[in-house]
Amino acid sequence: MALRIPPDHWLVVDSFKCASKPAAQFLTQRYGGTVHTIVLTHPHADHYNGILELLQDNPTASIGCVHPNESSGPAAAFDPKSALKQRAKPTYDFIWNQCSGRRWSSFRHTERAIGEATLTSLHPPNPVAPADWQGDENTLSSAMTVHWQQVTLLLGADVPNTSWETIAEEVQNLQDHSLLKVPHHGSQASLHQTFLQGADTRCWIVTPFKAKQLPKPEGLGQCLEAVQEIHVTALPYRHNQEAVHARAQLANLPPRKGLARESILQTVEALNRHVVASFDPAGNAEFHFGPGSVTVERQRTPQR
Amino acid sequence: MSGLDELQNELAEALVEELLSPLGTGQSALWNLTGAVGSGKSTTLRLVETKLRESKSLIPIHLQAPGEVDSAPIAILSAATQLKAHQMLNGELERICDPRLTLAEKLTALGPTLEKHRNDVVLICDEPLYWQRKEWGDSQNLGRWLVREVPCRRLISGRLPTSDNPDRVARVKVGPADSVFARHAAPKQLTCALEQLIQSEPCTPGEFKLSLALTRYRSPQEVAEQLQPYISMGPLLDDFLQLLDRDPDGHTLRATLARLTQSRTPVCPIVFKQLLDKLNDFDQAIVEFSLCEALPTGFRLHPLVRQKVRERMTKAPWRLSPEELGNIHATLRQLFQQCPADDLLGQVESLHHELLSERSLPSKRPDRRIMFVEQLHAIGRTCSRLYRNHKRAAEIFDWAITISPQDSYGHHYLAFNLDWLAESPERVENHYQEAIKLRPSHPWGWSRWISYLATRGRFAEARENWGRALNALSISDTSPDWIFLSLHRWVARWLLHWGELDFAEAVLHAIPRRLRHGDTSLQALTNLLKALRVAEYEPGVFPLDIPHDRWWLPNGHTGLPLRWGESIRQRWQPARVESIDADSLTLVVAEWPEQPTDELVYHEREMTRTELQDAAHNFHWDEVHEGSFLELGYYGNEEALRIGLHRHKDGIPDLIPLTPPPDRWYKRSVNEASEDARP
């Protein structure tokens, strides 16, 4: 996710690569501005790929993260997916040692000023319980809020339900946000009452995770109980409406073309799969949707 | 005298006669004694030495290094002490014993003496090719010096260390097996086997002795069938050691051989017997008769046996514990405790065993003289490889570079051991780079430095240094294979581990195709790259221990039968467990491509626990987890489904293991982060 914050600051949260470059680099090179802060929410391959390049290309940017513990990413010797996760280790080692002057630990309640906005970390708490270090890295991912004028953005990272419980104990009014980047790609295991209840006109955005086929219809359905519509930057499968921004209801989502081998991440086509939300100081939003993105609407109750 | 004795004596006499022929003015002569390993070259050289002494016409100076790499300095010291004993060397000895001098400088000190006495001495060199480490230390200069610069007579056994032609070549002959027996009267425990092998094809003494050792595992008849005119000692020894690797009752024999490797000089009979006393009679006979050489000064393992056992000692089941290693070095140290101060070779061995038997380095470095830094290299290597005491190894290499700041090897291995410990990153980087600066032509220096940078996440610098390495080494398709195996192979291995696939691919493709396809370790890397490429953007169904080039074998990988009941298997599909809970699982299944290069198509399939268990061919539900590889076999008209589970092997076949431990720096930053995180 990339946030352009007045006057000309960029906040980049996590990274992926397309055409072998960090995706954020295409944006910052095209639109100018300074990458002020980079956040690495947790050590999963769909979040850290390209962070090293971003750090090296933006030597003044600060980097926020929580260093994972030893159990992170030890490869199952034979699983290629696990083998690829080894990339996390040199990334974190680099951050810890080569970026020591510009890194900050994104534990709960830490704040950073970025341009005219304030970034506040919601999770994980400090100290992290030893047992929590041993578990799923998602439970320690860095959820955050960004406050600017009347706008509040809630960035959910991949925080699961169990951790939202603890966040809710310390942070109130999470439901009062202008935009939610839905946690963990819209999985049901990450949707929590603490942010679900609220105005149904809020802007919610979901990014896909192809390997787990997220978001699934069940998760989208639960989101649509909270908001009228939800924007998905791309579905987790290839379909035949990728040339346009589609609007659909759950029952008639574009059908899949199968788990095609080709991944769009190999080309800059991946950048087309975007949702851009632009806010004025009062919190009014304008949207731009890239081809391949889908807005899923709540089913309308037929009127008599 | 046996038939073999006669052959060797005859050859020795002929060589002596030639050696004693006068040389013309300014003429030098190089004799090369050739023959297969174990054919008796060393024995022939000793005979020549004895006969020359008896003749009193030429003084033999016998150079026999311990057989390790970097033994060249010991060989030179050996030559110098023998020359001194004959009052041919005086002040030069100080220079030869000065550790600050390079080997080349020491050879320069020796040269004038040999020139002066060129008609009085003959250098007898036993396999000097094996004394030198490729392209690293000064040792490579010794070979060139021996062949091209030494002015006196030389008799060199084995392959010459340069490509020059000798002036004369003599070849050790082999005789019938029974000729070996008459001389080397085998122990009674081997008599039975010996009687049956006696009629075998002509073979070298080494081959015959190893064939007796093989009767530990095979019948004499089977062993006799194995002996052919073309087999040599190497394959026979490999066969024996591989059997011993897997022998659950072989621990004592393995440990005995491992202990024997720690002696670099022949061991006196009393200590030799002590080292063998835990073995049964048969194994004692094998060690003494088949695997060792009996020399006038004691017993030692045959150099080839020693080399191959040492190669195994870093892994179970051959590893000795630090206590066992310490004890053997303490025992060997005692052999040299009484050696006088002017016995320089004895002093070298004494210090070697003293430092390897102590639990920690003394805070003050021993007063004993270090005569050449390679002494410390050997100690440091043993600390690192066998004791796994990298702290101590680092201290030793630090000592080496204190003595000789130009010691590229010392700098590199100081860096390497600190790197292993993930300590002092500045020193690690400084010393890796210093080693490269001092010896830019050595691939190991670059390989480890680039791998270190990759491990630290500094991939941009790694790429930059990769380019520099290719320039510094003047890599081309005609570069020797060992350069690619030392540099490209290891850099690619590390990059693949860290998931830097583009960079790894470029490195692998820079290796000549011939080598890339011909070497199993490189094939394994190529297969790994292809598998990771698939997993990068696709579901990644196949596990890594099924090589990419074997994915689509007709019979699959899980032992699914070709026939089940009355039905024949029509096809199979590979599948990966994407997710699993107590009652069901989701599989990602790949369709068979029409052509191997076709795009793969996948689909998901959900199954209940019951469905899976009913179809399971050779496993239970409890053995399945996320990431498991299954094969779905369809039988008959595809109504019947059987599912096989792939059980992983010990590791990915032919994949070189990584050292130092990949996670060492990551773990250090985890610890530091934990400290930082304390509120």
Side-chain angles (χ1 to χ4, degrees):
Chain A
M1 191 159 57
L3 282 74
R4 182 75 185 267
I5 297 170
D8 62 354
H9 294 58
W10 285 99
L11 162 65
V12 178
V13 180
D14 292 332
S15 173
F16 70 96
K17 279 192 186 178
C18 59
S20 303
K21 276 171 63 171
Q25 219 172 63
F26 292 94
L27 295 178
T28 58
Q29 282 170 358
R30 178 166 178 175
Y31 296 109
T34 306
V35 176
H36 180 274
T37 300
I38 301 168
V39 173
L40 175 52
T41 61
H42 62 296
H44 277 170
D46 54 323
H47 293 260
Y48 62 66
N49 204 5
I51 286 281
L52 282 176
E53 288 88 332
L54 282 175
L55 285 168
Q56 282 156 5
D57 292 341
N58 298 284
T60 60
S62 67
I63 170 72
C65 66
V66 171
H67 199 301
N69 82 325
E70 196 173 312
S71 69
S72 289
F78 308 106
D79 177 15
K81 295 290 190 189
S82 293
L84 287 172
K85 287 182 186 175
Q86 292 301 296
R87 274 188 201 144
K89 291 172 181 172
T91 302
Y92 277 90
D93 183 46
F94 184 90
I95 290 171
W96 218 255
N97 288 286
Q98 302 297 317
C99 304
S100 55
R102 52 182 175 135
R103 64 167 159 80
W104 49 281
S105 294
S106 51
F107 285 114
R108 185 177 294 163
H109 302 309
T110 54
E111 284 190 355
R112 306 285 292 183
I114 304 174
E116 296 172 13
T118 303
L119 175 72
T120 306
S121 179
L122 303 177
H123 195 68
N126 184 16
V128 176
D132 288 342
W133 279 121
Q134 307 300 325
D136 176 15
E137 289 87 355
N138 285 341
T139 61
L140 299 176
S141 61
S142 297
M144 304 193 156
T145 58
V146 177
H147 293 283
W148 175 72
Q149 305 281 355
Q150 302 297 315
V151 178
T152 298
L153 312 177
L154 176 56
L155 312 179
D158 278 3
V159 176
N161 280 336
T162 47
S163 299
W164 283 110
E165 291 279 346
T166 71
I167 296 172
E169 285 167 12
E170 294 192 40
V171 184
Q172 274 71 55
N173 302 323
L174 286 173
Q175 69 278 11
D176 297 334
H177 51 262
S178 317
L179 179 147
L180 169 68
K181 193 281 197 176
V182 178
H184 197 231
H185 316 284
S187 70
Q188 281 191 288
S190 295
L191 299 174
H192 193 267
Q193 278 304 114
T194 195
F195 55 79
L196 280 171
Q197 56 196 12
D200 67 357
T201 51
R202 292 169 295 173
C203 166
W204 281 20
I205 300 180
V206 175
T207 56
F209 183 34
K210 179 182 164 202
K212 296 278 187 190
Q213 293 293 286
L214 292 171
K216 292 190 193 284
E218 306 77 45
L220 289 173
Q222 192 170 349
C223 290
L224 289 169
E225 290 173 12
V227 293
Q228 291 177 5
E229 60 184 21
I230 181 161
H231 309 294
V232 188
T233 56
L235 293 177
Y237 53 83
R238 304 305 296 270
H239 56 89
N240 57 7
Q241 294 183 38
E242 291 175 355
V244 297
H245 166 66
R247 293 190 75 90
Q249 294 178 2
L250 267 185
N252 62 346
L253 286 174
R256 66 172 66 220
K257 287 196 306 192
L259 289 172
R261 184 185 195 182
E262 178 199 335
S263 169
I264 62 168
L265 289 177
Q266 292 170 282
T267 71
V268 295
E269 192 191 339
L271 297 174
N272 290 341
R273 310 288 191 265
H274 62 254
V275 172
V276 179
S278 203
F279 290 91
D280 67 18
N284 301 310
E286 280 183 16
F287 295 95
H288 173 80
F289 301 101
S293 64
V294 178
T295 295
V296 187
E297 302 168 325
R298 183 190 283 168
Q299 187 149 5
R300 293 182 204 95
T301 311
Q303 292 185 345
R304 289 176 189 264
Chain B
M1 212 187 257
S2 73
L4 178 67
D5 286 337
E6 284 174 5
L7 282 173
Q8 288 178 341
N9 198 59
E10 204 177 283
L11 180 56
E13 283 185 348
L15 281 169
V16 167
E17 191 178 326
E18 288 187 24
L19 286 166
L20 290 176
S21 313
L23 286 177
T25 307
Q27 188 186 6
S28 74
L30 171 60
W31 282 261
N32 185 210
L33 180 64
T34 65
V37 176
S39 58
K41 296 190 293 295
S42 299
T43 307
T44 305
L45 290 186
R46 285 193 289 276
L47 280 173
V48 168
E49 185 184 351
T50 304
K51 289 178 188 299
L52 283 173
R53 286 218 169 86
E54 287 166 358
S55 77
K56 295 190 175 62
S57 304
L58 275 178
I59 298 171
I61 306 292
H62 192 149
L63 278 63
Q64 181 158 49
E68 297 185 21
V69 292
D70 293 338
S71 299
I74 297 185
I76 295 307
L77 190 63
S78 161
T81 51
Q82 290 174 72
L83 287 167
K84 183 167 170 33
H86 290 281
Q87 280 106 48
M88 292 176 175
L89 196 72
N90 290 305
E92 295 90 337
L93 191 59
E94 273 304 307
R95 284 178 62 77
I96 287 167
C97 295
D98 185 348
R100 294 167 300 175
L101 295 189
T102 64
L103 189 71
E105 288 166 332
K106 296 184 185 195
L107 294 177
T108 307
L110 203 54
T113 298
L114 293 173
E115 173 64 46
K116 185 176 168 188
H117 297 283
R118 61 197 300 273
N119 286 318
D120 307 319
V121 303
V122 52
L123 289 189
I124 299 178
C125 310
D126 201 355
E127 304 266 17
L129 182 66
Y130 296 109
W131 300 351
Q132 55 201 41
R133 183 173 286 278
K134 272 195 170 66
E135 296 295 330
W136 198 300
D138 272 338
S139 301
Q140 56 176 315
N141 293 326
L142 177 66
R144 280 196 284 273
W145 178 80
L146 270 175
V147 173
R148 294 177 185 165
E149 294 178 36
V150 169
C152 66
R153 294 169 177 80
R154 291 140 291 148
L155 171 58
I156 297 179
S157 71
R159 263 178 51 213
L160 291 184
T162 66
S163 55
D164 301 66
N165 290 323
D167 299 297
R168 310 262 200 285
V169 176
R171 186 164 181 87
V172 175
K173 293 181 188 142
V174 299
D178 60 359
S179 68
V180 177
F181 163 63
R183 169 167 170 206
H184 300 285
K188 62 181 185 323
Q189 295 82 1
L190 300 177
T191 305
C192 176
L194 207 140
E195 292 297 331
Q196 297 188 56
L197 287 168
I198 207 85
Q199 303 305 322
S200 300
E201 296 287 332
C203 58
T204 66
E207 289 158 16
F208 186 73
K209 291 180 187 180
L210 274 174
S211 64
L212 288 173
L214 273 166
T215 61
R216 190 180 198 272
Y217 296 107
R218 300 204 175 104
S219 71
Q221 187 182 353
E222 284 170 323
V223 175
E225 284 164 10
Q226 214 174 334
L227 280 177
Q228 310 151 25
Y230 304 110
I231 201 164
S232 66
M233 189 174 163
L236 286 172
L237 179 58
D238 285 337
D239 193 8
F240 174 76
L241 289 175
Q242 281 162 17
L243 288 163
L244 184 53
D245 285 341
R246 299 191 289 265
D247 182 355
D249 297 322
H251 170 75
T252 309
L253 179 54
R254 285 190 293 265
T256 302
L257 291 175
R259 278 196 277 270
L260 282 169
T261 64
Q262 296 307 294
S263 176
R264 306 192 304 177
T265 51
V267 173
C268 69
I270 296 173
V271 172
F272 186 66
K273 288 292 178 202
Q274 282 173 11
L275 291 173
L276 266 55
D277 70 1
K278 290 194 172 61
L279 295 174
N280 60 42
D281 291 345
F282 185 82
D283 284 348
Q284 281 193 26
I286 286 177
V287 173
E288 186 175 337
F289 182 72
S290 294
L291 303 177
C292 285
E293 298 178 316
L295 302 176
T297 49
F299 292 87
R300 67 166 191 182
L301 282 173
H302 186 283
L304 186 62
V305 175
R306 185 167 183 272
Q307 177 203 320
K308 286 191 181 277
V309 170
R310 282 175 67 85
E311 284 167 7
R312 288 167 149 74
M313 280 177 65
T314 56
K315 301 187 185 65
W318 289 83
R319 290 191 65 83
L320 293 176
S321 68
E323 287 72 30
E324 286 171 312
L325 283 165
N327 289 341
I328 181 65
H329 283 288
T331 301
L332 293 169
R333 175 190 174 184
Q334 284 172 1
L335 296 179
F336 297 97
Q337 259 179 337
Q338 306 303 323
C339 73
D342 61 356
D343 176 3
L344 297 179
L345 291 174
Q347 293 296 326
V348 166
E349 295 309 307
S350 175
L351 183 65
H352 181 82
H353 295 300
E354 178 184 328
L355 289 178
L356 286 173
S357 60
E358 296 297 332
R359 284 197 172 271
S360 58
L361 265 187
S363 53
K364 194 173 157 215
R365 286 167 181 170
D367 209 16
R368 306 278 194 85
R369 292 175 72 183
I370 298 290
M371 286 170 255
F372 42 93
V373 287
E374 288 85 352
Q375 286 176 259
L376 295 174
H377 294 175
I379 294 167
R381 265 200 303 277
T382 302
C383 290
S384 179
R385 293 181 77 237
L386 299 187
Y387 280 92
R388 296 255 175 108
N389 188 334
H390 299 283
K391 185 169 167 56
R392 187 169 171 156
E395 289 168 356
I396 295 284
F397 286 111
D398 190 48
W399 186 1
I401 62 168
T402 306
I403 292 171
S404 176
Q406 307 299 310
D407 177 17
S408 157
Y409 187 92
H411 281 286
H412 178 82
Y413 280 97
L414 171 56
F416 176 75
N417 281 286
L418 290 173
D419 186 4
W420 193 301
L421 295 166
E423 281 181 14
S424 309
E426 269 187 32
R427 291 181 72 202
V428 170
E429 296 181 25
N430 287 344
H431 289 293
Y432 269 142
Q433 292 182 90
E434 185 67 15
I436 289 173
K437 190 171 130 202
L438 289 168
R439 189 76 61 172
S441 61
H442 201 287
W444 268 120
W446 290 101
S447 170
R448 289 224 172 96
W449 172 231
I450 294 167
S451 304
Y452 167 83
L453 289 170
T455 299
R456 304 308 308 278
R458 290 153 66 178
F459 293 104
E461 282 179 79
R463 273 193 187 266
E464 207 181 303
N465 279 275
W466 174 249
R468 286 200 208 129
L470 295 180
N471 280 338
L473 293 161
S474 304
I475 300 279
S476 73
D477 275 1
T478 56
S479 297
D481 286 357
W482 76 274
I483 299 277
F484 294 103
L485 293 173
S486 298
L487 176 66
H488 296 59
R489 179 174 61 165
W490 283 103
V491 170
R493 179 69 181 97
W494 279 99
L495 292 172
L496 286 172
H497 182 77
W498 296 128
E500 279 295 304
L501 303 188
D502 289 344
F503 190 177
E505 187 165 16
V507 170
L508 281 172
H509 282 184
I511 301 172
R513 181 187 289 263
R514 160 199 59 81
L515 180 59
R516 204 171 351 121
H517 291 178
D519 180 273
T520 53
S521 64
L522 292 175
Q523 282 173 1
L525 292 179
T526 304
N527 278 320
L528 178 59
L529 170 65
K530 287 180 180 169
L532 292 177
R533 277 283 191 221
V534 171
E536 210 178 10
Y537 297 119
E538 297 178 39
V541 166
F542 285 93
L544 294 176
D545 58 334
I546 298 178
H548 183 272
D549 57 2
R550 296 175 62 79
W551 279 4
W552 301 106
L553 294 182
N555 288 336
H557 307 279
T558 62
L560 278 178
L562 188 56
R563 187 184 286 276
W564 187 53
E566 296 296 315
S567 304
I568 294 185
R569 190 180 71 221
Q570 299 300 316
R571 65 189 178 103
W572 65 269
Q573 287 178 323
R576 178 178 184 272
V577 176
E578 186 71 4
S579 61
I580 184 169
D581 58 33
D583 304 309
S584 65
L585 55 71
T586 303
L587 300 176
V588 174
V589 185
E591 302 284 349
W592 264 76
E594 294 272 334
Q595 302 289 336
T597 51
D598 281 354
E599 285 194 2
L600 292 179
V601 177
Y602 303 87
H603 66 269
E604 279 191 348
R605 179 171 181 159
E606 293 187 1
M607 297 185 84
T608 64
R609 179 175 175 147
T610 308
E611 282 170 336
L612 184 82
Q613 198 61 74
D614 286 346
H617 171 63
N618 58 354
F619 64 95
H620 190 266
W621 169 268
D622 293 336
E623 295 177 73
V624 180
H625 51 82
E626 187 178 316
S628 289
F629 175 67
L630 303 175
E631 285 176 354
L632 312 183
Y634 299 91
Y635 292 78
N637 291 330
E638 302 213 357
E639 313 98 14
L641 172 67
R642 300 297 293 163
I643 300 178
L645 171 69
H646 174 71
R647 290 188 174 82
H648 298 296
K649 303 182 178 68
D650 285 337
I652 298 173
D654 297 316
L655 195 66
I656 43 179
L658 287 169
T659 54
D663 291 356
R664 60 204 187 278
W665 290 101
Y666 175 74
K667 286 182 182 175
R668 177 185 144 122
S669 65
V670 165
N671 291 337
E672 288 176 354
S674 303
E675 292 291 325
D676 281 359
R678 296 220 173 91

